[in-house]
Amino acid sequence: MDFGREITHVGTPEDAVTHPDSGGPLVGRAAELGLLDAVIDRLGHGAPSVVDITGAAGIGKSRLMAEFCLRARRRGVTVLRGRAAEYERHLPFHPFADAFADLHHRPPLASDLLDALPRVLGGRGAGSSSGPVPAPADRFGLHRSMAGLMAQLGRSCGLVVALDDVHWADPASLELLDHLVRHPVPGPVVLVVARRDRQTPTALTASLTRGADTEAVLRIGLAPLAERECVEGLAPDLPPDRAARLYAAGEGNPLYFLSLVHAHREDAARRRTTSPVSAEIGPGDLPSGMAALLLNELAPLTPSQHRTLEAIAVLGDHAVSPVIRGVTGLTDAELDDDLGALARRDLVRPGPGGRMALRHPVLRTLVHESTAVRRRVEIHHAAAAELARTGAPPVEQARHIEQSVTTWDPQAYAVLRLAAEQTESTAPTSCAHWLRSALRLLPDTVEHGAERRELMLRRARALGVAGGLRESRDLLHKVISTAGPDETGVRTSAVLLCASTERHLGRYPEAIALLRRELSRQPGLSPSDRVSIGLELSSSAPHNASYPQMRGEVAQTLADARTLGIERGEAGALAVAAFGEAYEGDTAAASTYAAQAAGLLDGLPDDDLTALCEPLGRLGWAEAFLGRFVDAERHADRGLGIARRSGQIYLLPLLLLCKAHVRIQTCRLRSARELADEAEDIARGIGSSELLAFVLANKAQVRVAASAPGDPEALAAAEEAVAAMGPSDNWRASMAWCMLGYAALTGGDPHRARAALLRAGGGDLHGLQPSMRPLLSELLVTAALSTGDVPSASAWAERAHREADQLGLPVQRASAMRSAAQLALHHGDAERAATLLSEAAAECARSGAVFWEARSLLLAAPAMAAAGYEARGATMWKLGHRLATDGGAGLLVGLAEMTRPSVPPAPPTAPPWLSSLTAREREIAELVAEGLTNRAIATRLYLSPRTVETHLSRVFRKTDVDTRARLAALMARP
């Protein structure tokens, strides 16, 4: 890409005007600039996706970032710069809003996304939209939208998004940064962050460190400047002895050195200290004494200038002339005089959008903290009034209200509630913060008691989805204990949410006890509430209590719902029953319940299913266990749509992983990876270690199937899943250990695989759900044969056969056949192995399990060749390879390379009737020859059954046959 061909300038032409810390010469940093120049040179061609600039306050991070941005602009790259601020940590997406405020020219491809961002980016998004703009349904959708927007902005000439002081970033921005680090934006896009190491939140540090380990992140740690560079670059006129002492006192930090030089030049005699400036780091991250030196710069100011400077420090992003004037009471002329004087002293500098800012965040901190508390309150109060007068978004007003209003004020209270509503879906931590501020204002009286509990419930929800599960649970207990007898709706909602929160914390006994106590202590519960509590109670299986233990609860809930005519409750109980029976291996009962649940759920409108998203997910998983992949994906999709619209973020991983599981089975691995990655993002945001472990276990399964054999990512995901689960011993824990065994086996470690699988299910695997036992027994057969333990392999193969016969499911029967085939090959019976593997492929094909069909075909190919059927083996290999390649199954593509026919047979001359078939007709004819029904072919090819019938009738006519058996025989001819 030629970045010099098309130059796009964003914001003001001079970086020194838009971002004041770019002024002055850059001293030293030649090595760091070389690294950054290489990033620009390789942008879009292997450059790191993130640059992480770290160092102490004043060390030069902002100046280096400014130089990098200036060089990128000169090369024609679009540059957006933003900065987090110490006193704006509850304004959601603050540094991103600051960066995108620079974007005045709207690329046509990105206009829709730009329009979607203003409301969620602190009310100051890049686009200018007429009328209200709907916010994204959830914050994780916003993360993907932001990544998409950045990708589109970078397409023409590259994009740099530079964010300064991210150690002060708000929680929503930190979460978005984490997403962008773990899922780099494709194309010529680089994200640059500057931060102080010691003040950076641990989660962001961990994310950047992981990225550095994989070389997706370039870390540049700034050390103190060398004495010669510092003195010659910043104060060449000082006498050498004086410069050396000042350099030693400033410890090579350019900000400290310049402050000492300034003090020396202002009044060397008065400011000379009797002892060197201490290098001890104080609470403000400044050496002791340095704060006084910086504040001494303010001594010559007039009282009016000092008040103006204080207003700018307190106002932050709202330090624009109209607000400053309203806060200080100055006339236009007086304000212009003050701002001019402050600018001449280089205390304030102009920023984007007409904002004024102190020349460095360190100086802002010092001025802010030295401003009297009463004065700060006055500034915030005046700012809130001015912003309300001009119609600023509630989120921007809320920051000043919470700092200035301490007594009951209905108008201020209403603004805080609105701010909470506007951040609920995209920045729940900010939402919880504004609700806490609202609760602080709301009188704690009987009159306002019901309203207070409603706010507490909302805040608990926000805390729960933001990762504050324990704080959410504690708040919910307060709601439950204080709710009055006429507040059964709020109390029941709190109980249900509290039980769900306990489940996410892995505290299943506590969840069950809470629900059972509620049922016994509240005889006045409405029938609908009793059914809802019954559904939540049955959701503990199979995570902690076994389904047989909860079967009675499910049956009672189902009976109550039917007696009371609560159709939603009946559908939910049926879905839970279908999942439980499928898990336990009673496929007949599970099939009956699943069909009944689907019949009810499919007939209900989405609005009636808001409370049934989790049962929808359980029905989807039940159908997936039963091999009904189309139905499973359909119900998962519907649940995802409802959960996103209703803000039930905590349910998205269950639904996303159900869909990912289906796509593994049907060999659509590329989309399965995307679904698993999204589920991981959400699980990390929620903060439940058990949920994260379950997600990572499923991510490992996707990674194993999608990656080449032995890929370290799959094993790393499985190991993290086991570590996150800890000592738990339930369904999700067993899944984590199973996936560790699966990843270890594909990575060539059969001993570790066997140990992990037996840890998951016990010596006979009875600790695992029956529908998985044949597949895991197959892995144990492979591990045993790899280590020469033939007796164990025979025992596991026999168990797989028994379990599969009991289940009666095609995928499980095919797995047992592959286990038997492995033993047959070990004993030299290639013909039996070929027959078993061919039957296994047909079983999988009939159920639509394309991944396992391809695996069976690729294993069958060499067995066929060894049995003397080279041509048929080559045909099977070709089909298996095509299915694996089309589905993005890297594991099977690797298997195909290992089983590739050594000498491909000469291609036979195609008979005339074969050449008369179209590509689609020939594809359908081949699938008929494999034994697939019309419905199975339709599922495989994503066609309707009627379309398949039409194509097949044409095939019959062209080949002059009248039955499927004759067509299969014709296709099998050499």
Side-chain angles (χ1 to χ4, degrees):
M1 179 179 293
D2 183 3
F3 292 119
R5 185 172 299 170
E6 179 183 350
I7 299 179
T8 302
H9 291 292
V10 179
T12 56
E14 295 298 327
D15 197 54
V17 175
T18 303
H19 290 279
D21 50 24
S22 62
L26 178 67
V27 176
R29 308 303 186 197
E32 291 85 352
L33 282 173
L35 293 172
L36 293 173
D37 283 338
V39 171
I40 302 175
D41 291 339
R42 295 166 50 208
L43 202 60
H45 301 283
S49 57
V50 179
V51 176
D52 178 25
I53 303 174
T54 67
I59 201 68
K61 302 182 297 297
S62 299
R63 184 63 188 86
L64 181 65
M65 174 182 279
E67 183 67 21
F68 173 67
C69 291
L70 190 60
R71 294 184 180 207
R73 277 198 177 100
R74 288 171 178 166
R75 301 279 288 276
V77 179
T78 299
V79 176
L80 304 178
R81 290 198 64 189
R83 168 172 257 148
E86 182 175 10
Y87 302 105
E88 285 79 29
R89 297 193 199 187
H90 293 291
L91 291 181
F93 306 104
H94 180 268
F96 288 93
D98 193 27
F100 279 82
D102 282 350
L103 194 59
H104 301 315
H105 302 293
R106 173 184 300 188
L109 288 176
S111 59
D112 290 343
L113 281 171
L114 285 168
D115 276 339
L117 294 177
R119 269 185 55 187
V120 293
L121 293 185
R124 296 177 288 108
S128 58
S129 173
S130 59
V133 178
D138 62 80
R139 65 195 198 267
F140 306 104
L142 172 67
H143 298 169
R144 296 188 297 277
S145 294
M146 178 63 79
L149 172 59
M150 290 169 62
Q152 293 192 52
L153 292 175
R155 282 179 187 168
S156 61
C157 54
L159 175 69
V160 170
V161 177
L163 305 178
D164 206 353
D165 291 330
V166 297
H167 50 277
W168 284 328
D170 58 278
S173 292
L174 291 172
E175 200 171 57
L176 175 53
L177 281 169
D178 179 71
H179 175 86
L180 294 173
V181 171
R182 288 188 294 108
H183 306 292
V185 178
V189 176
V190 64
L191 176 67
V192 186
V193 298
R195 61 188 179 90
R196 300 178 195 169
D197 271 315
R198 294 188 308 154
Q199 292 175 255
T200 302
T202 303
L204 180 59
T205 299
S207 180
L208 289 167
T209 300
R210 285 194 301 269
D213 291 342
T214 62
E215 300 184 352
V217 174
L218 169 64
R219 176 164 293 172
I220 297 178
L222 297 187
L225 289 173
E227 180 176 350
R228 181 175 178 180
E229 287 180 333
C230 193
V231 172
E232 293 183 359
L234 299 174
D237 57 326
L238 279 183
D241 60 335
R242 171 61 59 188
R245 284 198 293 273
L246 294 180
Y247 172 82
E251 298 181 321
N253 185 302
L255 174 66
Y256 305 163
F257 179 73
L258 283 171
S259 298
L260 291 164
V261 169
H262 177 80
H264 171 73
R265 286 173 173 164
E266 283 278 313
D267 186 358
R270 182 172 62 83
R271 295 179 185 275
R272 185 180 298 116
T273 55
T274 56
S275 59
V277 176
S278 170
E280 179 185 355
I281 300 298
D285 219 23
L286 289 175
S288 302
M290 189 59 64
L293 280 174
L294 289 171
L295 288 174
N296 275 339
E297 291 189 55
L298 313 184
L301 300 182
T302 67
S304 176
Q305 292 166 358
H306 200 281
R307 286 195 299 273
T308 300
L309 190 69
E310 290 176 336
I312 293 171
V314 173
L315 289 173
D317 281 356
H318 296 140
V320 293
S321 293
V323 181
I324 299 172
R325 188 168 53 248
V327 166
T328 58
L330 297 173
T331 65
D332 287 345
E334 290 170 336
L335 179 60
D336 288 344
D337 287 345
D338 282 357
L339 291 177
L342 295 172
R344 285 191 294 276
R345 289 186 171 275
D346 196 24
L347 290 170
V348 300
R349 297 173 179 176
R355 299 197 299 271
M356 303 301 295
L358 275 75
R359 72 164 183 262
H360 195 281
V362 167
L363 186 58
R364 182 194 177 190
T365 300
L366 292 172
V367 173
H368 186 283
E369 295 305 312
S370 64
T371 302
V373 173
R374 179 184 291 275
R375 175 61 181 152
R376 289 205 301 261
V377 170
E378 290 173 353
I379 293 171
H380 283 299
H381 190 274
E386 179 64 21
L387 291 171
R389 187 187 67 80
T390 58
V395 170
E396 299 198 14
Q397 297 181 51
R399 182 173 77 87
H400 298 290
I401 287 173
E402 70 164 340
Q403 296 295 328
S404 60
V405 180
T406 58
T407 58
W408 173 234
D409 182 330
Q411 185 176 355
Y413 171 75
V415 172
L416 291 170
R417 288 197 60 160
L418 278 173
E421 288 175 11
Q422 291 188 358
T423 53
E424 186 173 11
S425 63
T426 55
T429 301
S430 294
C431 172
H433 175 80
W434 302 131
L435 287 171
R436 182 176 64 182
S437 298
L439 283 164
R440 180 174 53 83
L441 292 185
L442 187 66
D444 191 3
T445 62
V446 174
E447 177 188 358
H448 294 95
E451 186 175 3
R452 171 171 289 277
R453 280 181 284 277
E454 185 267 329
L455 281 191
M456 291 167 68
L457 182 60
R458 284 182 54 197
R459 184 164 184 263
R461 285 198 185 97
L463 287 168
V465 299
L469 294 173
R470 287 175 175 79
E471 188 178 356
S472 173
R473 178 195 60 198
D474 294 344
L475 195 57
L476 289 166
H477 279 299
K478 289 182 181 178
V479 175
I480 295 167
S481 63
T482 59
D486 57 341
E487 296 179 80
T488 55
V490 168
R491 180 186 174 93
T492 301
S493 295
V495 166
L496 292 171
L497 184 56
C498 188
S500 176
T501 303
E502 296 282 27
R503 283 200 286 125
H504 279 99
L505 287 168
R507 292 162 52 92
Y508 294 101
E510 288 80 358
I512 293 171
L514 173 66
L515 293 165
R516 285 188 169 149
R517 184 186 66 176
E518 190 68 13
L519 286 173
S520 64
R521 294 180 62 179
Q522 296 295 323
L525 280 174
S526 70
S528 178
D529 285 346
R530 295 189 72 84
V531 170
S532 296
I533 292 174
L535 285 176
E536 176 62 33
L537 186 56
S538 60
S539 294
S540 296
H543 307 293
N544 185 62
S546 68
Y547 180 74
Q549 288 178 291
M550 305 300 296
R551 192 178 273 130
E553 303 280 359
V554 177
Q556 184 61 55
T557 301
L558 178 58
D560 289 345
R562 283 174 169 166
T563 300
L564 297 166
I566 304 174
E567 199 172 30
R568 286 174 294 176
E570 180 183 358
L574 287 168
V576 171
F579 176 77
E581 299 297 354
Y583 179 89
E584 291 298 323
D586 190 341
T587 54
S591 296
T592 300
Y593 285 131
Q596 293 175 356
L600 285 173
L601 290 168
D602 292 347
L604 291 171
D606 283 358
D607 288 346
D608 287 355
L609 296 181
T610 301
L612 293 178
C613 282
E614 187 164 9
L616 262 174
R618 286 174 176 261
L619 175 60
W621 275 104
E623 290 167 330
F625 291 157
L626 295 170
R628 300 177 181 177
F629 302 124
V630 174
D631 290 335
E633 186 165 358
R634 177 169 59 85
H635 288 126
D637 274 331
R638 193 176 184 198
L640 283 168
I642 297 169
R644 291 191 199 281
R645 288 193 297 273
S646 58
Q648 298 181 80
I649 303 300
Y650 58 95
L651 293 178
L652 292 178
L654 171 75
L655 295 155
L656 288 165
L657 293 179
C658 175
K659 190 172 178 178
H661 177 77
V662 168
R663 295 201 168 187
I664 294 172
Q665 308 305 307
T666 54
C667 205
R668 289 175 283 167
L669 273 302
R670 296 177 186 88
S671 58
R673 289 185 70 147
E674 294 171 0
L675 292 163
D677 286 343
E678 184 182 352
E680 181 187 1
D681 288 344
I682 297 169
R684 290 188 186 278
I686 290 174
S688 166
S689 58
E690 183 171 287
L691 176 61
L692 178 61
F694 182 65
V695 169
L696 290 171
N698 282 271
K699 175 185 174 181
Q701 184 183 15
V702 175
R703 287 284 193 271
V704 169
S707 307
D711 184 89
E713 278 191 17
L715 187 60
E719 289 173 335
E720 188 180 357
V722 168
M725 185 57 68
S728 297
D729 188 17
N730 55 30
W731 175 46
R732 289 175 168 176
S734 68
M735 282 292 296
W737 283 102
C738 285
M739 291 308 112
L740 178 60
Y742 189 17
L745 186 61
T746 59
D749 190 345
H751 294 285
R752 188 182 188 189
R754 180 181 183 278
L757 292 168
L758 295 181
R759 166 65 176 77
D764 54 4
L765 297 189
H766 279 174
L768 299 175
Q769 64 190 89
S771 63
M772 287 186 63
R773 289 178 199 162
L775 293 166
L776 298 174
S777 294
E778 181 185 353
L779 298 181
L780 285 166
V781 169
T782 304
L785 290 175
S786 298
T787 59
D789 188 355
V790 179
S792 290
S794 298
W796 286 118
E798 179 58 33
R799 287 180 184 176
H801 177 72
R802 289 198 306 269
E803 296 277 1
D805 274 356
Q806 290 174 7
L807 291 168
L809 298 173
V811 172
Q812 284 73 7
R813 283 199 299 265
S815 180
M817 290 174 185
R818 288 193 299 271
S819 293
Q822 289 188 69
L823 281 171
L825 282 172
H826 178 79
H827 292 301
D829 192 346
E831 183 138 4
R832 172 168 167 73
T835 300
L836 286 166
L837 292 168
S838 179
E839 291 176 359
E843 284 275 8
C844 295
R846 281 191 286 273
S847 69
V850 180
F851 180 87
W852 299 110
E853 177 191 1
R855 177 173 175 80
S856 301
L857 288 168
L858 292 170
L859 291 172
M864 282 288 179
Y869 306 106
E870 289 86 355
R872 189 176 177 192
T875 301
M876 298 178 85
W877 181 90
K878 182 179 179 182
L879 177 58
H881 181 262
R882 177 171 64 79
L883 294 175
T885 303
D886 291 349
L891 178 68
L892 299 184
V893 172
L895 176 61
E897 291 305 313
M898 290 187 284
T899 60
R900 180 186 292 274
S902 55
V903 181
T909 303
W913 60 264
L914 189 57
S915 59
S916 69
L917 300 181
T918 66
R920 178 64 84 187
E921 289 167 355
R922 184 168 179 173
E923 188 174 28
I924 288 174
E926 289 174 348
L927 294 175
V928 168
E930 290 180 35
L932 269 68
T933 63
N934 285 4
R935 182 170 295 278
I937 295 171
T939 300
R940 169 78 64 81
L941 301 180
Y942 302 100
L943 301 173
S944 70
R946 185 177 294 279
T947 301
V948 173
E949 291 173 7
T950 301
H951 282 300
L952 191 55
S953 65
R954 292 172 184 162
V955 171
F956 285 155
R957 185 173 65 254
K958 292 179 180 181
T959 58
D960 196 25
V961 298
D962 56 2
T963 66
R964 301 171 76 89
R966 289 180 180 176
L967 178 60
L970 191 64
M971 296 297 295
R973 291 179 186 173

